[in-house]
Amino acid sequence: MSDPFMPVERTSRSSLEALRILAEFNYPTVISTKSSLVASKEYLAVLRRGMFTVQFSISSTDDALIGQIDRWTSSPSQRLAAMGRLSGASIPTSCRIQPLLPGRERDAFGVIDRCADIGAHHVSVEHLKLPIERSWMGSGPLSKALGRDVKDYFVEHHATRIGREWILPMEERLPRMLELRQYAHHRGLTFGAADNDFLLFSDGRSCCAGLDGLSGFQ
């Protein structure tokens, strides 16, 4: 699985062609991306003809921070601007805060505020699950951006191994998840608790994109 709007899409236009087919058949489709390309003029015209909802992945509104973590993607500011264009065109939008950044968890409140102001209908949150492999290519950029070694952070916070991932303790994650859920509701958004063990705290059965409340997606 990969982002359907990687830089190569500007020349291949394969996702655009797929969207045209989906629009022709009015097939309910969820698009998940970190790119602002989805809201450009040509793509927007196709989205307006079909049954689409677009979910943007945003962990923080700090462009400099995310520029170090999500390299070769649109900045948070660009993603939020794209979300605003889509929402303004009556295309349902949502946000997936994945991962909730270790040591920068408060950034999620800023993301929720921006999404609510822009017109998103749903936000979901998922804590970082750290691969057990020391060779994971994301650990270096993430540690450098956050100013601390993420593996040490997980050790210090008594993470436990589940399968091939390290997971932070439930007693640490749960209060934070419930606080973010309450704040999302305060801002008028439905909420998805995307950690596997917290799915019951989601509004509806579609934790990530909040499809339960969208006509035609149920």
Side-chain angles (χ1 to χ4, degrees):
M1 180 182 292
S2 61
D3 194 309
F5 297 98
M6 294 186 294
V8 70
E9 172 63 16
R10 297 184 183 277
T11 54
S12 73
R13 298 162 64 84
S14 56
S15 291
L16 179 60
E17 293 305 313
L19 293 176
R20 284 171 173 160
I21 296 170
L22 292 165
E24 180 181 352
F25 291 93
N26 206 36
Y27 191 86
T29 304
V30 180
I31 299 169
S32 183
T33 185
K34 292 183 179 182
S35 173
S36 60
L37 180 60
V38 66
S40 59
K41 185 177 180 180
E42 193 170 12
Y43 291 83
L44 182 57
V46 176
L47 295 180
R48 296 181 74 169
R49 297 203 307 267
M51 188 181 297
F52 297 97
T53 180
V54 182
Q55 174 185 264
F56 289 90
S57 179
I58 307 172
S59 293
S60 171
T61 60
D62 186 331
D63 284 355
L65 173 68
I66 298 303
Q68 298 179 66
I69 299 170
D70 288 341
R71 293 174 291 179
W72 309 296
T73 67
S74 299
S75 68
S77 295
Q78 291 169 328
R79 296 178 215 175
L80 289 164
M83 182 186 291
R85 288 195 296 274
L86 294 171
S87 297
S90 299
I91 297 168
T93 61
S94 61
C95 176
R96 185 180 178 101
I97 302 175
Q98 177 199 32
L100 199 62
L101 297 172
R104 294 289 297 262
E105 292 87 359
R106 301 301 300 181
D107 288 18
F109 291 91
V111 174
I112 291 172
D113 278 332
R114 292 292 302 279
C115 291
D117 292 341
I118 284 168
H121 74 98
H122 180 82
V123 63
S124 63
V125 176
E126 183 174 355
H127 286 79
L128 176 67
K129 297 189 288 288
L130 190 67
I132 64 170
E133 289 81 6
R134 303 289 294 186
S135 60
W136 177 53
M137 63 180 298
S139 62
L142 184 57
S143 297
K144 182 178 179 180
L146 296 176
R148 64 182 309 169
D149 189 293
V150 290
K151 296 184 177 68
D152 290 345
Y153 180 94
F154 270 61
V155 170
E156 293 167 6
H157 288 254
H158 308 291
T160 57
R161 178 178 173 177
I162 299 179
R164 302 196 66 82
E165 297 172 323
W166 292 105
I167 309 294
L168 293 170
M170 178 181 291
E171 56 268 25
E172 177 176 333
R173 291 180 289 119
L174 180 57
R176 184 182 300 125
M177 188 70 78
L178 294 178
E179 184 181 12
L180 288 168
R181 180 176 186 265
Q182 182 180 32
Y183 192 70
H185 289 165
H186 169 70
R187 290 306 318 266
L189 303 174
T190 55
F191 184 79
D195 287 8
N196 291 335
D197 48 359
F198 293 157
L199 293 176
L200 73 164
F201 296 111
S202 300
D203 298 324
R205 298 194 302 172
S206 176
C207 68
C208 296
L211 301 181
D212 303 65
L214 299 179
S215 177
F217 283 87
Q218 294 88 347

